[in-house]
């Protein structure tokens, strides 16, 4: 049995959007560029199994976290909480004791959802962008 609760706590830190629940909105009321929609769907394929962190020699959960951060950052619905989400999720990821990524690509090789390691670069960009915007007081 695998204890995946650390991954759940990362998602609890920000892997969601805050929206009023109600009837389903008209599907075409929020346009999403095709490229972004495709990438978001790829990232959303992550099932949170933890195989990436288990296979990583650094015990890094960056493929998992990058998939969760990216799939919301790529969509307009995720935009309002874009900065706070990545900052909180990375903070919890670090607090849980996961290691840092050194580009061994073991995660990508074992991922059953074929999540691309390129999402880790997206996570790093999202984090840098959030830190910069916070430092500018935005
Ligand atoms: S191995 Fe793939 S599907 Fe499993 S948690 Fe990591 S990124 Fe998600």
């Amino acid at each position: 049995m695998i204890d995946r609760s650390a991954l759940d706590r990362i998602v609890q830190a920000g892997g969601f959007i805050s929206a009023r629940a109600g009837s389903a909105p008209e599907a075409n009321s929020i346009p999403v560029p095709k490229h972004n929609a495709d990438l978001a769907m790829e990232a959303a394929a992550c099932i949170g199994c933890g195989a990436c962190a288990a296979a990583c020699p650094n015990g890094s959960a960056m493929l998992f976290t990058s998939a969760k951060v990216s799939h919301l950052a790529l969509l307009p619905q995720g935009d309002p909480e874009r900065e706070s989400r990545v900052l909180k999720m990375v903070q919890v990821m670090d607090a849980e004791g996961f290691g840092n990524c050194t580009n061994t690509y073991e995660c990508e090789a074992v991922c059953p959802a074929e999540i691309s390691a390129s999402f880790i670069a997206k996570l790093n960009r999202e984090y840098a962008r959030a830190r910069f915007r916070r430092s500018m007081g935005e």
Side-chain angles (χ1 to χ4, degrees):
M1 185 184 293
I2 298 172
D3 180 1
R4 296 179 43 271
S5 58
L7 301 182
D8 292 338
R9 287 190 287 275
I10 293 173
V11 170
Q12 285 166 0
F16 52 83
I17 63 165
S18 301
R20 285 171 56 112
S23 57
E26 157 60 35
N28 293 321
S29 62
I30 304 177
V32 180
K34 173 85 168 73
H35 180 67
N36 285 17
D38 288 347
L39 277 177
M41 284 297 287
E42 280 180 33
C46 169
I47 56 172
C49 63
C52 48
C56 177
N58 304 321
S60 170
M62 286 187 76
L63 190 64
F64 165 79
T65 306
S66 70
K68 299 302 176 195
V69 164
S70 297
H71 99 257
L72 293 173
L74 286 159
L75 297 173
Q77 292 90 339
D79 200 53
E81 293 156 300
R82 188 172 169 183
E83 279 107 40
S84 62
R85 173 182 306 113
V86 66
L87 293 174
K88 286 183 201 163
M89 292 180 77
V90 168
Q91 184 182 37
V92 172
M93 181 181 76
D94 290 342
E96 293 289 345
F98 288 107
N100 205 357
C101 172
T102 55
N103 298 316
T104 66
Y105 296 96
E106 295 290 335
C107 54
E108 189 183 71
V110 300
C111 176
E114 299 182 352
I115 302 294
S116 168
S118 65
F119 284 115
I120 295 176
K122 169 79 173 157
L123 171 64
N124 288 331
R125 288 195 299 276
E126 286 293 317
Y127 186 76
R129 176 183 182 276
R131 289 292 299 262
F132 177 73
R133 289 175 68 97
R134 284 287 160 94
S135 71
M136 299 298 284
E138 290 184 33

